[in-house]
Amino acid sequence: MRIDVLTLFAEMFPGVLGSSILKRAEEMGQVRYQLTDIRRYTTNKHGKVDDRPFGGGPGMVMACQPLWDAVAAVEKQDKTPAHRVLMTPTGAPLTQPTCERLAECERLLIIAGRYEGIDQRVIDRLDPEPISIGDYVLSGGELPAMVLIDAVVRLIPGVLGHDESAHRDSFSAGADRIFDHPHYTRPRVWEGLEVPDVLMSGDHTAIEQWRKQQAEQATRRRRPDLLNESDSV
Ligand code: SAM
């Protein structure tokens, strides 16, 4: 998969893309990241990429021209058509099924906004899939883009080793789209707290049942909406 990110703050990415699983995925040739500074494409002689909002109000708005030209230039670099994504608090919530769908794309082009947002006309023309990482507002789309990249890249087949498979993670089909179960490791007793007996029993059926029950209880307590959704499927 090729992932293009169009941003005004490319310097925020190397630490995240150059660490751990995202780095390994690139080293294995499963993914290629390309960061593009939208400012490079502005025709404004002072390097401006934003302007004051028509209709008044606070803040600045990202102008159409630099982003439009940046997208055109980046898309031309590769014949593979890109699935365009816009990070925005007004997008559809990022969910595991969305990540699973995006992990099947050959190429993603992610647009990170800044300031009050982006001129609606260039959004309408580019027609990206609008995605939000939650009902709160960040200063820019860079952290949301990194969240999306991490959640998607780990789902590309071969990126995670067998031992760290995402198949049974929370919200995945293998976990019935509810929470994962609690996890324990050595020592068996820590600060007087024991690992649940069933996990030491060697009885795999009982362990599976216990884990399922724990996952359901935690989901019912904190996210009952997930159980209702999986009941109705
Ligand atoms: N005025 C906008 C609003 O109230 O919806 C907020 C703009 S925000 C300060 C600047 C940029 O951060 C947005 O264009 C978007 O790219 C990004 N952003 C902020 N919160 C986000 C979220 N929850 N999910 C995805 N992107 C977000």
Side-chain angles (χ1 to χ4, degrees):
M1 177 189 290
R2 170 174 168 152
I3 301 180
D4 285 288
V5 183
L6 275 65
T7 167
L8 290 169
F9 291 90
E11 66 272 22
M12 288 177 69
F13 288 82
V16 170
L17 301 184
S19 312
S20 184
I21 288 164
L22 298 186
K23 176 184 183 189
R24 196 174 72 196
E26 188 170 39
E27 284 173 352
M28 290 189 315
Q30 300 273 28
V31 66
R32 191 175 134 216
Y33 312 110
Q34 182 167 300
L35 302 167
T36 297
D37 181 358
I38 299 167
R39 199 177 298 279
R40 265 187 53 207
Y41 291 89
T42 183
T43 53
N44 179 284
K45 63 174 189 278
H46 304 293
K48 250 171 78 107
V49 290
D50 58 345
D51 216 323
R52 305 220 319 250
F54 280 125
M60 301 294 271
V61 177
M62 282 174 69
C64 295
Q65 177 275 318
L67 179 59
W68 178 257
D69 287 357
V71 170
V74 165
E75 289 194 343
K76 249 195 268 161
Q77 291 168 4
D78 194 316
K79 282 203 290 289
T80 312
H83 179 72
R84 298 172 183 160
V85 171
L86 171 66
M87 304 316 305
T88 167
T90 61
L94 183 64
T95 61
Q96 196 68 13
T98 303
C99 295
E100 288 163 11
R101 173 170 55 78
L102 296 178
E104 287 175 7
C105 293
E106 272 186 73
R107 186 176 179 198
L108 291 178
L109 182 146
I110 305 171
I111 300 167
R114 276 274 157 176
Y115 317 127
E116 286 305 318
I118 300 171
D119 189 312
Q120 188 60 40
R121 292 167 296 180
V122 70
I123 298 176
D124 292 344
R125 199 44 95 69
L126 291 169
D127 196 24
E129 177 177 358
I131 296 183
S132 163
I133 62 158
D135 292 348
Y136 43 83
V137 175
L138 295 156
S139 312
E142 289 75 17
L143 292 171
M146 288 185 246
V147 167
L148 183 144
I149 291 169
D150 189 306
V152 168
V153 167
R154 66 198 302 283
L155 297 178
I156 298 173
V159 166
L160 292 186
H162 182 66
D163 287 347
E164 48 187 5
S165 157
H167 173 68
R168 291 173 56 150
D169 278 343
S170 299
F171 319 115
S172 303
D176 294 333
R177 303 262 178 231
I178 64 169
F179 287 176
D180 189 9
H181 56 78
H183 300 268
Y184 297 85
T185 186
R186 274 192 270 241
R188 185 172 179 171
V189 182
W190 175 77
E191 303 258 329
L193 299 172
E194 291 201 22
V195 169
D197 283 344
V198 64
L199 297 179
M200 315 304 294
S201 69
D203 179 343
H204 294 292
T205 312
I207 292 172
E208 269 313 296
Q209 268 173 4
W210 180 85
R211 286 178 164 169
K212 198 165 184 296
Q213 200 182 41
Q214 293 290 313
E216 279 174 10
Q217 275 173 12
T219 309
R220 185 162 294 115
R221 262 198 317 274
R222 295 196 289 275
R223 289 289 304 276
D225 56 305
L226 293 176
L227 282 167
N228 300 338
E229 276 169 30
S230 68
D231 285 351
S232 62
V233 172

